Amino acid sequence: MKRKVIATFSDRNFYFTLQIVSILSNKIKKYFLLLNDLTLSLSFSIILLAVKNIYFTLKGEIAVAKNLDIPFLIDFYGEMLTQKQHDFLIYYYEEDLSLSEIAENEGITRQGVRDSIKRAEAQLFDMEERLGFAKRFTEMNKSIDEIINCAEIINEYNLNHSLSMEINDSVARIKTLASFLKEG
């Protein structure tokens, strides 16, 4: 009998880190209780609660974020899926149809739709892990934004100090090229 893996690797690492922080916080709290320092003991209790709250908040955001990543990954790798898988993902994520609605429209079971979507999601994540196009695209966009921000800083400095026409023209050219790269 196969065991079902509930958490991804990163979720497990985060969970174990939370457990370690929890254990250490409890030990430190007990140590300060032995020293009769109630203030520090309460501080560590509050820290522990905050860490747990952050974990469960992030865990929910991670689950939602994975779902929100799918349409982005479809843009990069959608053509590599079967037509059915591609269509099911579009129906589910972009047209916001339920599994039951897709199943009814396609004439298959709800479970069949779910299985196809899960396989397609796994393939998208696998392709991204292997190829990294979406991550590279995101990093390039962040870098372009940083280039534009640096150009703004140079332009601001130029306006406040030297008023060089060459610097002003170069900044305008940098911003134009960066905008062109971001669009293309």
Side-chain angles (χ1 to χ4, degrees):
M1 181 175 174
K2 285 188 177 179
R3 288 180 54 185
K4 184 176 181 181
V5 177
I6 295 173
T8 64
F9 182 72
S10 59
D11 290 339
R12 283 185 296 208
N13 283 346
F14 193 71
Y15 178 75
F16 290 132
T17 303
L18 174 69
Q19 292 301 314
I20 291 169
V21 168
S22 179
I23 291 167
L24 288 175
S25 295
N26 283 330
K27 289 192 181 290
I28 292 170
K29 185 174 79 172
K30 287 178 186 175
Y31 174 75
F32 284 117
L33 279 174
L34 289 173
L35 294 176
N36 291 327
D37 194 337
L38 187 61
T39 306
L40 285 174
S41 177
L42 288 173
S43 297
F44 277 101
S45 295
I46 292 169
I47 290 169
L48 179 61
L49 287 173
V51 168
K52 285 183 178 178
N53 187 31
I54 289 168
Y55 168 73
F56 289 112
T57 301
L58 285 177
K59 188 173 180 185
E61 289 176 3
I62 288 168
V64 170
K66 284 184 181 177
N67 290 339
L68 295 178
D69 284 344
I70 296 294
F72 187 61
L73 294 176
I74 291 171
D75 291 340
F76 284 94
Y77 308 112
E79 297 300 318
M80 299 171 84
L81 299 171
T82 67
Q83 188 62 43
K84 279 274 193 217
Q85 287 175 327
H86 184 267
D87 291 346
F88 288 175
L89 288 176
I90 296 297
Y91 295 151
Y92 188 70
Y93 286 103
E94 294 183 12
E95 295 181 16
D96 203 27
L97 295 179
S98 70
L99 296 176
S100 299
E101 291 170 325
I102 298 168
E104 185 179 313
N105 293 343
E106 295 294 319
I108 64 172
T109 66
R110 182 186 175 283
Q111 186 63 40
V113 172
R114 183 189 173 285
D115 291 344
S116 182
I117 288 174
K118 290 300 176 188
R119 272 194 303 277
E121 289 173 346
Q123 286 177 337
L124 290 174
F125 286 123
D126 183 54
M127 285 185 266
E128 175 57 22
E129 186 177 311
R130 291 174 188 230
L131 301 172
F133 291 143
K135 180 180 177 187
R136 178 179 254 159
F137 177 80
T138 303
E139 289 171 353
M140 284 177 34
N141 273 341
K142 286 180 185 176
S143 297
I144 290 170
D145 288 339
E146 191 173 333
I147 289 169
I148 292 171
N149 288 337
C150 288
E152 287 290 334
I153 292 169
I154 292 169
N155 190 42
E156 190 69 32
Y157 183 84
N158 184 43
L159 290 175
N160 292 332
H161 293 88
S162 60
L163 291 174
S164 168
M165 185 59 109
E166 293 83 19
I167 292 175
N168 193 36
D169 291 343
S170 294
V171 166
R173 181 78 177 134
I174 289 169
K175 289 165 70 175
T176 302
L177 290 172
S179 296
F180 175 76
L181 288 173
K182 191 164 184 155
E183 291 173 11

